[in-house]
Amino acid sequence: MNAMRPWEMHDTVVIGAGVIGASIGYHLAARGAAVTVVDAGLPASGATRHSFAWISSVGGADGPAVGLRDLSVQDWRRLGAEIPGLELDWSGALTWGDEFGRAEAIEPPIGVEPRLSELPSSARFSPEEGWIDPVRVTEQLIEAARHRGAQIQLGAPVVRLIRGKAAGVIGVDLGHVVLGASNVIVAAGTGAAALCSSVGVSLPLASAPAVMVRLAAEPGLIGHIVANDEFEARQSPDGTILMPRGYAGEDSAESLLATGEMARRLLVDSFDGAEDVRLLGAEIGWRPMTSDGEPAVGVTRIPGLHVAVAHPGVCLAATIGRLVADEVMTSLPAPELARFRPTRFD
C-alpha cells in the first residue's frame, strides 16, 4: 500500500454528507455497521441544499426512477417513526396540467388551496405527499447516524480513490491520510464521476443546472405543494416560499434576480393577497444527472466499491439508504436496484 501517507482501516466509508449519503450512513449505523461518513463541507452543502425536496411516489410511467419512487413515501414515513423529531411535512400536493397530469384526476376539494386566484377545472390533490427542509433533515440524519455510532468527518475533502494492494480494500485518500475500507460508497453527487474515474470506473455524469427562487410572504399564503405547467411552489411555516425554475442561461447575479422577479410576479398573479411577497434571492443548483437520466445505485465492477447518485435525490434518499445498507450488510443484491446499477455503463 502507499507508504507516503498513513492508512487507517475502516469497515465502510460513505463519501458525501448530502441527503443520500446521510441516509446511507444512518441506515448502516442503525443496523450496527461500523460506518464513517466523510465530506469536504457541511451536511447538505452541495446539490441537496438547492432541492425543492418534494416527497412523492408518483412519476411518469416511463420517467426516471420508476420502482424506486413507488417506495419513497413509505420509506420516509418509516424514517419519521424511527428518528424522534425528524422534520417531515406531509402537507399534500395539489397538481394539474400536462406536466403533472395524473391518471384519474379528481376535482380538488373546496378549500384545499383557497387563495388561488383561479381554481383549475380539474386537478388532483394527493394528501399522502409532502416535503422536507433538505438541509435540516440531512443534519438530523447525520446526527441520528452519529448517535448510533457512525463516525462523521466533515471538512475532509477526498482527493481520489485507491485500489488497495490487499484484496477487497479500497482506499479513500484524504490527502493527509488514507481510509482503507472493505466497502466504499460514493454518494458525492456531481463529484462522483471524478472519484470513480480515479480507479478506472466510468460513470457518465453531468451537472445539470436549475434555479431555486426564494420568496418571503405572510405565513399561510400557500397551504400545500402546488404544481402545474407554469410553476411549482411550497411555503414553510416561517413564510419562506420556494419556487424551482428551469435554467435559462443565467450567468450573473443580475440575470438570476430577473428570473426571481419573474417568479415573484407569477406567484402574485396566482394567489389572492400576495401583493406583498418579496424576493429573497435566486441561486443555481447543480444536480447530478447520468447520461440516461436514471439513478446509478449499487456495486460497481470493483468489489466493495458502490455508487449512490440519483435525481431526485431527496425524494429517493430514504429508499436508497435502506437498499444500499441491505446490500452492504447481506452481500445480496437488492432486486429493486436491478435497473439502476452503475455496471450498465461499463
Side-chain angles (χ1 to χ4, degrees):
M1 293 183 183
N2 193 331
M4 298 298 294
R5 53 179 73 70
W7 280 62
E8 293 179 0
M9 296 311 300
H10 296 246
D11 287 346
T12 298
V13 174
V14 178
I15 303 173
V19 68
I20 291 178
S23 176
I24 294 169
Y26 164 76
H27 281 90
L28 283 167
R31 296 186 60 171
V35 58
T36 301
V37 180
V38 300
D39 197 290
L42 296 174
S45 57
T48 296
R49 72 179 296 267
H50 297 287
S51 174
F52 189 55
W54 183 354
I55 303 172
S56 169
S57 60
V58 179
D62 57 352
V66 172
L68 293 184
R69 277 184 178 270
D70 299 338
L71 304 171
S72 60
V73 169
Q74 67 189 57
D75 270 313
W76 273 111
R77 288 190 181 275
R78 172 185 52 79
L79 278 183
E82 289 179 11
I83 302 174
L86 191 66
E87 297 174 19
L88 308 174
D89 191 312
W90 299 108
S91 66
L94 181 67
T95 57
W96 68 92
D98 293 337
E99 183 174 354
F100 294 97
R102 301 179 180 188
E104 301 176 0
I106 59 174
E107 294 296 325
I110 295 173
V112 164
E113 203 63 62
R115 295 178 70 172
L116 274 173
S117 301
E118 293 186 25
L119 199 64
S121 58
S122 181
R124 184 173 186 86
F125 181 62
S126 304
E128 76 281 0
E129 298 182 13
W131 58 272
I132 63 171
D133 177 326
V135 175
R136 176 60 183 150
V137 169
T138 300
E139 291 172 342
Q140 289 181 303
L141 287 170
I142 288 291
E143 186 55 36
R146 194 197 311 269
H147 180 72
R148 287 159 176 79
Q151 295 184 43
I152 310 297
Q153 296 189 27
L154 304 176
V158 177
V159 177
R160 58 174 176 157
L161 301 179
I162 302 171
R163 292 286 298 273
K165 293 181 180 179
V169 173
I170 308 294
V172 178
D173 188 353
L174 301 183
H176 64 287
V177 66
V178 178
L179 309 182
S182 301
N183 287 286
V184 170
I185 302 159
V186 181
T190 57
L195 290 175
C196 288
S197 69
S198 65
V199 286
V201 172
S202 176
L203 185 64
L205 193 66
S207 297
V211 177
M212 183 61 71
V213 176
R214 297 178 186 271
L215 307 167
E218 173 192 353
L221 178 66
I222 305 174
H224 313 85
I225 296 165
V226 177
N228 55 62
D229 293 341
E230 292 189 312
F231 69 88
E232 300 168 55
R234 65 167 174 83
Q235 187 174 27
S236 301
D238 67 359
T240 302
I241 295 172
L242 294 190
M243 293 183 70
R245 308 298 291 169
Y247 178 70
E250 291 86 353
D251 58 2
S252 66
E254 182 180 4
S255 60
L256 277 171
L257 288 176
T259 295
E261 178 58 24
M262 289 175 60
R264 189 194 71 83
R265 290 175 184 168
L266 182 57
L267 192 86
V268 169
D269 291 341
S270 300
F271 288 86
D272 294 332
E275 293 79 8
D276 293 334
V277 170
R278 295 180 294 105
L279 175 63
L280 295 176
E283 295 181 306
I284 297 175
W286 300 91
R287 305 165 296 175
M289 299 288 286
T290 61
S291 58
D292 62 8
E294 296 282 8
V297 184
V299 71
T300 69
R301 60 180 174 77
I302 297 179
L305 178 61
H306 309 250
V307 168
V309 177
H311 176 75
V314 169
C315 178
L316 301 175
T319 298
I320 288 174
R322 173 176 61 84
L323 294 174
V324 170
D326 284 348
E327 290 200 335
V328 169
M329 296 296 289
T330 68
S331 299
L332 298 174
E336 298 92 334
L337 295 177
R339 287 184 51 228
F340 308 111
R341 300 200 177 281
T343 48
R344 69 185 187 272
F345 300 120
D346 291 343

